[in-house]
Amino acid sequence: MARNEEKAQSMLNRFITMKQDEKKKPKERRPFLASECRDLAEADKWRQQIMREIGRKVAEIQNEGLGEHRLRDLNDEINKLIREKSHWERRIIDLGGPNYTKQSAKMTDLEGNIVDVPNPSGRGPGYRYFGAAKKLPGVRELFEKPPELRKRRTRYDIYRRIDASYYGYRDEEDGVLVKLEAPAEVVMREMAVEEWNLMEEIKREAKKAVKSGEVANVTDILFEEEEEVVEEERREKERLDENDAMQKEFVVHVPLPDEREIERMVVEKKKLELLSKYTSENFLEEQTEAKAMLNINR
């Protein structure tokens, strides 16, 4: 009895489901071309549908255990849906709707940094990689940063960084140099005051020594001390020059011959020359005589 009731209940459920399906509108299919859509609401609906499909596939591609081929197929499908979404976004703009392209997401690397891969793997501009597809062989290298090459600075770059600090115009702004120069400045100021007082005293003495109607020759008085210093320096220089001259004198380490010795050496040399000449002539004569005697004997 219970079996018949279950059958009746099952048939009732199927009947109710069939009636509900009859009331529903036939399932619409997304147009192949976005240009075929004439309604802004429908265009936005198809864009939302594509966004949901992209979301599902992006969640699926995060699984690294799907295998290389499945990951590549999923990545291709996602890129195909993204291109289709861009077509519908342009169609929405044509129909007077909002511009969704300004809010498009950027491509990131494994660390989440935004990167720009304009034409990876020869698949055309705008191709992106998602999830585990970024770790596939041949794809990881696209997201690796190239080693930074240290560029040699040019003369223009060097001169561009030169400012007032380079020439020392801002050294006094920190106050350190002022503290170090203060003692030296006090000493120099005192020396200048003493020199000025001395000059004034010399001028007063020169004016007292001048009679009425005469012109005071203050130059000799002012520079009297300087002339003494110059004279001392000149004497010191002469003394040094004399010492240098004495050091540069030529010292003879071999006894030099006098005139008589030179004459004797010349006479000896001439005697030797004459003797050698006479000896050579006698030798030639003896050889000729010996050759003549040999010829006669033959």
Side-chain angles (χ1 to χ4, degrees), residues 102-152:
K102 295 181 179 179
Q103 303 173 359
S104 59
K106 303 293 182 181
M107 184 163 50
T108 59
D109 57 5
L110 298 175
E111 299 176 357
N113 301 320
I114 297 175
V115 295
D116 183 17
V117 184
N119 189 12
S121 306
R123 294 177 179 271
Y127 191 88
R128 301 179 182 180
Y129 290 93
F130 301 88
K134 295 179 181 180
K135 300 179 181 180
L136 293 175
V139 180
R140 184 187 294 271
E141 290 78 5
L142 297 174
F143 297 95
E144 292 180 355
K145 297 180 180 179
E148 296 182 359
L149 299 176
R150 188 174 181 181
K151 186 179 178 182
R152 187 177 179 181

Side-chain angles (χ1 to χ4, degrees), residues 16-273:
I16 293 171
T17 304
M18 183 179 64
K19 288 295 183 179
Q20 289 177 353
D21 291 339
E22 288 179 355
K23 292 179 180 178
K24 290 182 180 178
K25 295 182 179 179
K27 189 175 181 180
E28 295 181 350
R29 191 173 182 181
R30 187 168 64 236
F32 182 75
L33 297 176
S35 57
E36 296 178 356
C37 183
R38 300 281 186 255
D39 188 7
L40 178 60
E42 289 186 0
D44 192 81
K45 181 183 69 174
W46 299 130
R47 177 183 173 278
Q48 293 295 332
Q49 184 182 11
I50 295 172
M51 292 286 289
R52 287 192 293 273
E53 293 180 9
I54 292 174
R56 286 195 299 271
K57 292 184 181 295
V58 168
E60 185 180 358
I61 203 173
Q62 304 298 326
N63 186 6
E64 299 181 9
L66 294 176
E68 180 180 350
H69 299 290
R70 178 56 182 162
L71 289 174
R72 291 187 184 276
D73 292 340
L74 273 175
N75 202 77
D76 291 340
E77 292 173 6
I78 293 171
N79 280 275
K80 183 179 179 182
L81 289 172
I82 289 174
R83 287 196 297 272
E84 188 176 356
K85 179 175 73 71
S86 63
H87 296 326
W88 283 104
E89 287 175 351
R90 285 195 295 269
R91 183 57 181 169
I92 290 171
I93 295 173
D94 295 339
L95 296 174
N99 187 4
Y100 295 106
T101 56
K102 295 181 179 179
Q103 303 173 359
S104 59
K106 303 293 182 181
M107 184 163 50
T108 59
D109 57 5
L110 298 175
E111 299 176 357
N113 301 320
I114 297 175
V115 295
D116 183 17
V117 184
N119 189 12
S121 306
R123 294 177 179 271
Y127 191 88
R128 301 179 182 180
Y129 290 93
F130 301 88
K134 295 179 181 180
K135 300 179 181 180
L136 293 175
V139 180
R140 184 187 294 271
E141 290 78 5
L142 297 174
F143 297 95
E144 292 180 355
K145 297 180 180 179
E148 296 182 359
L149 299 176
R150 188 174 181 181
K151 186 179 178 182
R152 187 177 179 181
R153 291 191 302 173
T154 61
R155 187 179 293 272
Y156 171 75
D157 296 333
I158 294 172
Y159 280 107
R160 189 177 61 180
R161 290 177 172 82
I162 292 177
D163 53 3
S165 300
Y166 176 81
Y167 293 102
Y169 294 138
R170 296 178 181 172
D171 293 343
E172 298 182 0
E173 292 182 359
D174 54 359
V176 177
L177 189 61
V178 176
K179 294 179 181 179
L180 296 175
E181 290 180 348
E185 185 178 356
V186 173
V187 174
M188 292 176 66
R189 185 177 289 111
E190 291 177 355
M191 292 175 61
V193 171
E194 290 178 1
E195 186 178 356
W196 183 81
N197 292 331
L198 180 61
M199 296 279 291
E200 291 295 323
E201 186 178 354
I202 292 172
K203 289 180 181 180
R204 286 194 297 270
E205 291 179 358
K207 289 179 181 179
K208 290 177 182 179
V210 175
K211 297 179 182 180
S212 60
E214 295 180 0
V215 179
N217 189 6
V218 187
T219 309
D220 299 335
I221 301 172
L222 292 176
F223 298 99
E224 184 176 355
E225 296 180 359
E226 283 93 347
E227 288 179 359
E228 291 178 359
V229 175
V230 172
E231 185 67 21
E232 268 184 42
E233 291 178 354
R234 186 180 62 78
R235 289 175 185 174
E236 185 67 23
K237 187 177 180 182
E238 289 178 357
R239 188 161 57 253
L240 293 174
D241 293 341
E242 290 176 0
N243 293 334
D244 292 341
M246 291 175 65
Q247 291 177 1
K248 291 179 181 178
E249 285 183 359
F250 181 73
V251 180
V252 179
H253 300 282
V254 182
L256 295 175
D258 55 359
E259 293 182 359
R260 291 181 182 180
E261 187 69 22
I262 293 172
E263 290 178 1
R264 188 182 63 78
M265 292 173 65
V266 171
V267 171
E268 291 290 337
K269 187 176 181 181
K270 287 184 178 181
K271 286 181 181 181
L272 291 172
E273 289 178 356

